[in-house]
Amino acid sequence: MTTASIDWHSIVDRLIKKTQEETALWNATSVSDQYKLRLSDATIVLDKSSNPTQVWFRIEILNSQGVTIAGEQPEIFDELYNKLSDLFSMIEDKKLRMSETVRSIMKDLESDTVVGKKQPYDDDDKLPF
Amino acid sequence: MSAGIQERADQASIIVGLLGVVAILASLVWLVQTRTPATESIATLGAVASVVALVVALIQIFKIRSVSEETRNRVRANLSIAEVSRGIRFAEEVQSYIHNKEYQLAGLRLNDLRQIVVRAAESDTSREVSTEEEIQDLLQELGVGILSVRRVAADQRRSFDGDSFSQTVDAASELLIKLENKLTFDRL
């Protein structure tokens, strides 16, 4: 597999831009921490794997026959690593609505109103003893 | 149709051969009558014989080409049914490996299955049982599935959605079953 001719930085930059603009529709695959983006004649797969001390990102391109034709797993100090990390966070953010949820939490916590809801069974008066 | 071409090629060879013999005899008579020198006569007869032989050879080459094409088509059709059946079995094996969490083996078998779907996609028959877009989607999903399974094989702490994965394998199996039925029906 030769990846020398692939300008990964350029591809990842465009992916980041389109993901930011929400014009790239990523989908989760069957395995956790892995997303796919279907293009007209190819698919891009972004994967995050980790052990207790390190996290890796791997980007792969599949051709129209589903064959992996190129892949890149940058080293941790590589600029591409940071870009893939940003892209992955961005995808997760969009998929899991993380930013929106955090904003909502902060809004609730900063307000003076009571937060949380009392459950009906928490009412001591209704206890039979 | 191909058999007809071969028969006609044989007939044409015989006719050209007979015409060639007649042409050589006629040339011989003409050369004797005109008292042409022996060396020149031999050269003329050789040239006529060469032209006749060339025409017969071309007809035979054409015939052999048509025979080999027919044989190739037959072999290809037979292979397709055999391969499609094998693909259906591969799909079952993938499901079984996934069920038993044997992800490494599942990945290998999934790649075999993908290759058969690629072969199926190249056949005209596949267009009769599915659309090109559906097959392309399936191939992409199988490719992604291979990557997913490999990742889980490398790190089994990662969670794996077997149901979502099974849908892809089932879709491949369904396509191949339809294709197998179609190919079997066409052969009858």
Side-chain angles (χ1 to χ4, degrees):
Chain A
M1 185 192 303
T2 172
T3 58
S5 57
I6 294 179
D7 183 357
W8 288 105
H9 285 275
S10 170
I11 291 174
V12 175
D13 285 344
R14 281 161 206 230
L15 285 172
I16 288 173
K17 186 170 178 284
K18 283 191 85 65
T19 307
Q20 246 166 355
E21 292 167 351
E22 298 193 5
T23 50
L25 304 174
W26 292 86
N27 286 298
T29 70
S30 306
V31 67
S32 57
D33 289 337
Q34 192 180 68
Y35 294 95
K36 62 184 174 188
L37 177 66
R38 178 74 203 273
L39 304 172
S40 55
D41 227 8
T43 298
I44 292 176
V45 177
L46 182 61
D47 186 87
K48 177 183 156 185
S49 52
S50 61
N51 68 17
T53 57
Q54 205 180 342
V55 176
W56 298 275
F57 293 97
R58 183 168 180 81
I59 185 165
E60 278 164 302
I61 297 175
L62 277 68
N63 70 6
S64 59
Q65 295 189 336
V67 177
T68 307
I69 53 164
E72 185 71 7
Q73 186 174 301
E75 294 297 322
I76 196 158
F77 300 112
D78 197 315
E79 192 191 344
L80 188 62
Y81 180 96
N82 294 328
K83 286 182 181 178
L84 289 180
S85 172
D86 289 347
L87 178 60
F88 193 90
S89 305
M90 217 176 277
I91 296 165
E92 281 213 311
D93 188 69
K94 304 280 181 206
K95 297 303 283 184
L96 305 174
R97 302 167 67 90
M98 283 163 73
S99 298
E100 281 176 57
T101 310
V102 171
R103 266 199 303 275
S104 165
I105 290 170
M106 292 306 285
K107 193 178 155 194
D108 281 354
L109 295 179
E110 282 168 2
S111 72
D112 295 329
T113 56
V114 175
V115 290
K117 284 179 183 167
K118 197 173 184 182
Q119 297 291 330
Y121 50 79
D122 283 347
D123 195 340
D124 288 345
D125 294 343
K126 289 186 179 170
L127 289 172
F129 50 86
Chain B
M1 189 179 131
S2 190
I5 291 171
Q6 289 159 35
E7 239 171 67
R8 278 204 296 276
D10 282 339
Q11 286 169 359
S13 293
I14 292 166
I15 291 166
V16 170
L18 289 173
L19 286 174
V21 171
V22 171
I24 289 166
L25 287 174
S27 304
L28 191 61
V29 170
W30 181 74
L31 289 168
V32 170
Q33 279 178 350
T34 54
R35 294 172 190 271
T36 311
T39 48
E40 215 175 295
S41 300
I42 291 167
T44 308
L45 287 174
V48 172
S50 297
V51 169
V52 172
L54 184 68
V55 173
V56 172
L58 286 174
I59 293 169
Q60 287 304 311
I61 288 168
F62 177 72
K63 180 192 161 187
I64 289 165
R65 252 184 69 182
S66 106
V67 170
S68 64
E69 198 174 322
E70 189 191 20
T71 310
R72 202 164 48 232
N73 286 342
R74 277 188 189 160
V75 169
R76 200 179 286 160
N78 287 340
L79 257 181
S80 293
I81 295 176
E83 274 187 320
V84 166
S85 305
R86 214 165 62 228
I88 295 164
R89 204 179 65 241
F90 286 163
E92 288 166 5
E93 285 179 22
V94 170
Q95 300 281 34
S96 169
Y97 287 137
I98 292 294
H99 181 74
N100 296 328
K101 297 190 189 308
E102 293 173 292
Y103 298 114
Q104 196 86 42
L105 293 170
L108 293 171
R109 268 291 171 263
L110 197 59
N111 195 37
D112 293 337
L113 175 61
R114 187 195 58 76
Q115 284 174 353
I116 287 173
V117 175
V118 169
R119 290 263 298 155
E122 287 166 356
S123 75
D124 294 335
T125 318
S126 67
R127 302 284 173 281
E128 296 173 39
V129 298
S130 185
T131 65
E132 196 172 342
E133 198 186 346
E134 280 174 342
I135 297 173
Q136 283 303 313
D137 281 346
L138 180 59
L139 282 171
Q140 298 285 304
E141 286 304 315
L142 288 171
V144 173
I146 291 166
L147 288 182
S148 302
V149 167
R150 281 182 189 159
R151 291 286 165 267
V152 186
D155 180 3
Q156 296 215 5
R157 291 170 304 165
R158 292 176 73 167
S159 66
F160 184 74
D161 182 358
D163 291 340
S164 149
F165 179 81
S166 287
Q167 283 175 10
T168 303
V169 181
D170 284 344
S173 183
E174 198 179 315
L175 169 76
L176 294 177
I177 287 169
K178 280 184 191 168
L179 201 55
E180 186 187 46
N181 290 340
K182 178 84 182 110
L183 286 169
T184 309
F185 181 77
D186 286 351
R187 281 185 77 189
L188 294 175

